[in-house]
Amino acid sequence: MTTTVRTQVAIVGAGPAGLVLSHLLAEAGIASVIIDQRSREDIEQTIRAGILEQGTVDLLATIPGSRVHTAGARHDGIELRFDGAGHRIDFPDLTGRAVWLYPQHEALKDLLAARIGAGQDLRFGVTATGVEDADGDRPRVIAVDDAGAGLEIEADFVVGADGSRSVVRKAISGSHGGLFREYPFAWFGILCEAGPSADELIYSNSPDGFALISQRSETVQRMYFQCAPDLDADSMSEAQIWDALQRRVPGTTLVEGPIFQRDVLRFRSFVAKELRHGRLAIVGDAAHTVPPTGAKGMNLAVADVLLLARALEALLVRSDAGLLDGFADAARDRIWKAQHFSWWMTSMLHVAPDASDFDRERQLGELRSVVESEAGRTYLAEGYTGWPFA
Ligand SMILES: Cc1cc2nc3c(=O)[nH]c(=O)nc-3n(C[C@H](O)[C@H](O)[C@H](O)COP(=O)(O)OP(=O)(O)OC[C@H]3O[C@@H](n4cnc5c(N)ncnc54)[C@H](O)[C@@H]3O)c2cc1C
């Protein structure tokens, strides 16, 4: 049996992009229905982003019940470590801005509570399988719930906020896909029960490869080290993991503790060829992915959504399609800046498996030219804290 519902905006995906979009649309008086293939518990427990730009935090803080300022931690800088020495990049000093360490799943708990509290039509355990009438004025999302019942959502506009394996993207781009590049390394990530090893994030380049020492709370820490993309996360003992991390952060004695989560995160840079077709659009990871080194993915999702929400308000409230016509170009402007920043941080800090002595010396020269120059430090600080929203 298939049920049909009608709404103004159908949103596929209750990640940061879909939930922030529904909030902004509701503020503009626009109704939406969100579906997500996962359960609420699953969404609230998946560990992903941690670093939020100033603009993202300012927006999240406007959401009723947001804990971003009370449970999140403001970070005024990071340390770049290489060649045996640490170099602090002071964000407020260089840009007047900062970042916040607030785990994505905590932000999602706030967003879900706020949207459900506001009466949002939000359906968990419902998977979109395609979009029909993609060229018409009333596109339809075709979906099925966990019990096998069909659902069709007929809408004035359909938004794919459905992550990197987007179904909506296929309805927009067909088989065209997009532009991408792969990397010959991945991150081995851990969550452990231990006190913090540093007050701020350490991005460390060493002859053994890259490591990121990040924090979660006074008792839980998140750390990553560069590994081969095909490494099995269960193939290393805890002692081997600590040894790999410790060797990549010379000069700091890491506070060790039981590791309770581990994963190997492969990454790729990707930008979809088309971001919008008629009354369909994609935002967030559905439209682009970046390596996590620059901490841009969730922030970029929020930036897309701000642009799209304004365009949909103009279209659906004032019958003005002008902003929507400019949406893809406006979004791409920031997307490619963030792509470059993420690629740059990744290539500057990781050691490629085939790096020659020349490559290694050039890389250290690049790192020195960043930390020794105010212009270099400022570029890094601007990209990391995020370019102001248009
Ligand atoms: C280890 C790690 C660290 C990161 N660190 C940072 C960081 O510090 N800062 C930062 O900004 N970003 C970071 N990111 C990136 C960030 O997590 C993502 O960019 C962000 O989650 C994108 O949000 P989204 O809403 O576009 O997509 P997602 O979060 O992927 O949400 C998509 C949602 O759509 C649902 N869905 C998918 N397909 C369907 C379907 N067919 N039907 C119904 N529902 C569907 C999924 O279940 C999911 O809930 C990190 C990522 C990782 C993995």
Side-chain angles (χ1 to χ4, degrees):
M1 204 185 86
T2 296
T3 309
T4 301
V5 294
R6 292 180 179 78
T7 187
Q8 287 179 288
V9 180
I11 302 174
V12 183
L19 291 169
V20 171
L21 179 63
S22 76
H23 166 73
L24 295 174
L25 292 176
E27 284 202 320
I30 298 170
S32 64
V33 173
I34 312 179
I35 57 169
D36 199 291
Q37 63 192 4
R38 295 189 290 161
S39 66
R40 180 174 181 177
E41 294 68 36
D42 194 7
I43 294 171
E44 290 185 339
Q45 282 164 18
T46 304
I47 307 289
R48 291 183 76 179
I51 293 291
L52 304 185
E53 296 173 359
Q54 174 106 43
T56 303
V57 168
D58 292 346
L59 193 149
L60 290 180
T62 67
I63 288 165
S66 171
R67 295 165 299 143
V68 67
H69 281 311
T70 50
R74 179 184 156 122
H75 280 226
D76 282 340
I78 56 167
E79 183 184 312
L80 282 192
R81 184 165 308 178
F82 58 92
D83 221 5
H87 308 265
R88 184 163 189 268
I89 309 292
D90 186 320
F91 297 147
D93 194 35
L94 294 160
T95 65
R97 298 161 73 83
V99 295
W100 268 256
L101 206 154
Y102 189 50
Q104 177 168 331
H105 65 284
E106 297 296 340
L108 286 172
K109 283 182 199 167
D110 295 349
L111 281 160
L112 286 166
R115 295 310 308 136
I116 290 166
Q120 172 73 45
D121 187 339
L122 204 175
R123 302 174 188 216
F124 301 103
V126 179
T127 302
T129 54
V131 179
E132 289 190 356
D133 294 335
D135 293 316
D137 282 345
R138 298 288 290 168
R140 284 176 300 129
V141 175
I142 310 300
V144 60
D145 73 15
D146 286 348
L151 176 71
E152 287 191 13
I153 313 171
E154 187 186 305
D156 295 325
F157 204 94
V158 169
V159 179
D162 48 346
S164 58
R165 297 192 178 159
S166 173
V167 165
V168 180
R169 184 172 68 230
K170 291 192 190 86
I172 292 182
S173 305
S175 56
H176 294 308
L179 304 176
F180 69 94
R181 69 163 296 158
E182 310 275 359
Y183 296 82
F185 34 72
W187 277 7
F188 195 114
I190 61 158
L191 275 168
C192 66
E193 287 169 27
S197 295
D199 292 337
E200 294 179 333
L201 273 70
I202 302 176
Y203 285 76
S204 183
N205 166 283
S206 79
D208 289 308
F210 169 74
L212 172 58
I213 307 306
S214 170
Q215 302 81 26
R216 272 291 184 264
S217 68
E218 284 307 308
T219 53
V220 172
Q221 310 307 320
R222 183 81 161 137
M223 304 184 198
Y224 306 90
F225 64 89
Q226 176 185 340
C227 69
D230 55 359
L231 183 70
D232 175 0
D234 294 323
S235 66
M236 294 180 76
S237 67
E238 292 208 10
Q240 288 171 320
I241 293 171
W242 285 114
D243 180 56
L245 277 165
Q246 189 65 71
R247 273 188 291 116
R248 288 164 172 77
V249 202
T252 293
T253 303
L254 297 174
V255 181
E256 299 183 11
I259 295 170
F260 63 89
Q261 188 175 311
R262 51 170 78 192
D263 40 37
V264 170
L265 171 71
R266 299 177 73 143
F267 39 87
R268 117 199 256 252
S269 301
F270 170 78
V271 181
K273 207 154 195 164
E274 310 289 344
L275 303 185
R276 180 214 155 200
H277 172 82
R279 286 178 172 252
L280 312 183
I282 45 174
V283 286
D285 277 14
H288 41 71
T289 53
V290 287
T293 326
K296 283 281 146 282
M298 174 172 162
N299 293 299
L300 210 44
V302 169
D304 292 347
V305 158
L306 267 176
L307 288 174
L308 186 62
R310 286 183 200 142
L312 291 179
E313 182 179 354
L315 180 77
L316 300 176
V317 178
R318 302 193 297 278
S319 301
D320 173 1
L323 283 179
L324 188 61
D325 289 341
F327 161 72
D329 284 343
R332 264 194 214 100
D333 184 64
R334 190 184 187 94
I335 290 167
W336 279 109
K337 284 196 321 204
Q339 283 292 355
H340 171 69
F341 182 76
S342 304
W343 169 87
W344 175 67
M345 288 283 282
T346 302
S347 60
M348 180 170 68
L349 288 162
H350 292 71
V351 179
D354 60 352
S356 64
D357 290 347
F358 175 91
D359 296 333
R360 184 80 193 112
E361 291 300 329
R362 189 211 57 76
Q363 188 176 52
L364 292 171
E366 181 179 11
L367 283 159
R368 282 197 301 277
S369 67
V370 171
V371 301
E372 290 170 10
S373 139
E374 184 167 339
R377 293 195 304 277
T378 304
Y379 170 69
L380 196 157
E382 281 175 352
Y384 200 88
T385 57
W387 306 278
F389 292 135

